[in-house]
């Protein structure tokens, strides 16, 4: 299947700083990528849909200015958590839309804000 | 609106026994159904999908799932579970014209030796 690489796998940052998470499609071009947030032992919550060359579409309740998404190329989408606070600590996962019906997911990023 | 229900938070089975993880869904139009598995601190791995055709679909690692339109179900099955199947399993659905996936709450499978 298609390979989606997410980096970093885990990150610890201080409260008030910003953190960037990268999602790359390694062997295909992804016009659309999705960003999810997962709390412990819970399901995935879709945060936003990232479209190459255009603004991301955010789900209701997700702060656009807090979670900045950039999809500047067909193989890279980034999620920047700005002015991070402890409540932003979570597991963030990206997925990419390919030419087949199933989505392929990155390995996830464990963010801890201290 | 589309949704997925996984009625069991946990499923415990002995190694070698059959494994079933239940899933029911709601979606407008024809459903695209998926099962994914997640290991701790990892992303989701695709197991199998139903798009059209035979109601019984086979996927990775010996898993299969049966699509039942009248019951709006898509239960995941494995005839003989392995300890290594212990993980968190997600059922997901989307409509044929919508790329947004809706996930169930997940079912933790524990296979004891």
């Amino acid at each position: 299947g298609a390979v989606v690489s997410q980096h970093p796998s885990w990150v610890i940052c201080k409260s008030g700083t910003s953190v960037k998470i990268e999602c790359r499609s390694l062997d295909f071009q992804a016009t659309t990528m999705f960003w999810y947030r997962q709390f412990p032992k819970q399901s995935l919550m879709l945060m936003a849909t990232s479209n190459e060359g255009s603004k991301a579409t955010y789900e209701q309740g997700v702060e656009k200015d807090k979670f900045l998404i950039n999809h500047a190329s067909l193989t890279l989408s980034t999620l920047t958590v700005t002015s991070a606070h402890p409540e932003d600590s979570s597991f963030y996962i990206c997925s990419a839309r390919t030419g087949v019906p199933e989505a392929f997911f990155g390995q996830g990023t464990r963010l801890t804000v201290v | 609106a589309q949704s997925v229900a996984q009625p069991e938070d946990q499923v415990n089975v002995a190694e070698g026994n059959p494994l079933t993880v239940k899933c029911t869904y709601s979606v407008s139009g024809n459903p695209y159904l998926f099962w994914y598995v997640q290991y701790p601190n990892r992303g989701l791995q695709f197991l199998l999908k139903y798009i059209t055709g035979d109601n019984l679909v086979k996927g990775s690692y010996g898993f299969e799932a049966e699509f039942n339109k009248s019951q709006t179900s898509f239960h995941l099955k494995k005839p003989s579970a392995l300890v290594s199947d212990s993980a968190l399993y997600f059922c997901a659905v989307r409509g044929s014209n919508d790329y947004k996936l809706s996930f169930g709450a997940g079912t933790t499978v524990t296979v004891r030796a």
Side-chain angles (χ1 to χ4, degrees):
Chain A
V3 179
V4 177
S5 177
Q6 193 172 335
H7 178 81
S9 298
W10 58 270
V11 58
I12 300 174
C13 71
K14 292 185 177 180
S15 188
T17 62
S18 295
V19 174
K20 180 183 285 187
I21 302 169
E22 293 186 347
C23 181
R24 292 181 184 274
S25 57
L26 296 187
D27 52 0
F28 66 99
Q29 293 182 332
T31 56
T32 304
M33 290 186 177
F34 302 90
W35 286 96
Y36 296 85
R37 183 173 180 176
Q38 185 181 27
F39 292 100
K41 297 187 179 182
Q42 293 191 27
S43 189
L44 281 72
M45 181 192 78
L46 179 64
M47 299 174 64
T49 302
S50 169
N51 298 297
E52 187 268 336
S54 64
K55 291 183 178 181
T57 303
Y58 290 81
E59 296 300 302
Q60 191 172 9
V62 178
E63 299 177 60
K64 302 178 184 181
D65 297 331
K66 176 75 171 174
F67 299 100
L68 298 178
I69 291 172
N70 184 279
H71 195 156
S73 78
L74 287 170
T75 59
L76 175 64
S77 176
T78 61
L79 168 68
T80 301
V81 183
T82 62
S83 186
H85 291 284
E87 58 266 29
D88 298 324
S89 298
S90 192
F91 194 61
Y92 293 88
I93 307 175
C94 69
S95 75
R97 172 186 161 187
T98 69
V100 296
E102 61 269 30
F104 291 90
F105 289 80
Q107 307 95 311
T109 297
R110 172 72 60 194
L111 170 63
T112 302
V113 185
V114 297
Chain B
Q2 57 193 37
S3 64
V4 176
Q6 292 181 243
E8 301 158 315
D9 291 337
Q10 288 207 347
V11 170
N12 299 308
V13 297
E15 188 171 36
N17 281 3
L19 169 64
T20 298
V21 185
K22 295 179 180 177
C23 169
T24 58
Y25 67 90
S26 174
V27 70
S28 298
N30 295 322
Y32 282 17
L33 293 155
F34 308 89
W35 275 101
Y36 289 88
V37 61
Q38 184 182 33
Y39 295 97
N41 292 311
R42 303 290 293 175
L44 275 64
Q45 293 179 31
F46 170 72
L47 282 179
L48 51 77
K49 68 187 177 206
Y50 172 82
I51 304 300
T52 187
D54 290 341
N55 290 341
L56 183 65
V57 293
K58 295 186 183 295
S60 306
Y61 313 117
F63 284 95
E64 58 189 32
E66 186 165 10
F67 169 64
N68 187 315
K69 187 174 183 178
S70 62
Q71 298 185 3
T72 61
S73 67
F74 190 56
H75 302 329
L76 181 70
K77 300 179 181 181
K78 185 170 184 178
S80 179
L82 301 172
V83 173
S84 57
D85 293 328
S86 298
L88 181 58
Y89 290 79
F90 288 103
C91 181
V93 70
R94 66 173 176 88
S96 56
N97 295 320
D98 186 353
Y99 286 93
K100 291 184 182 179
L101 279 173
S102 293
F103 288 88
T107 298
T108 300
V109 170
T110 302
V111 182
R112 60 185 184 277

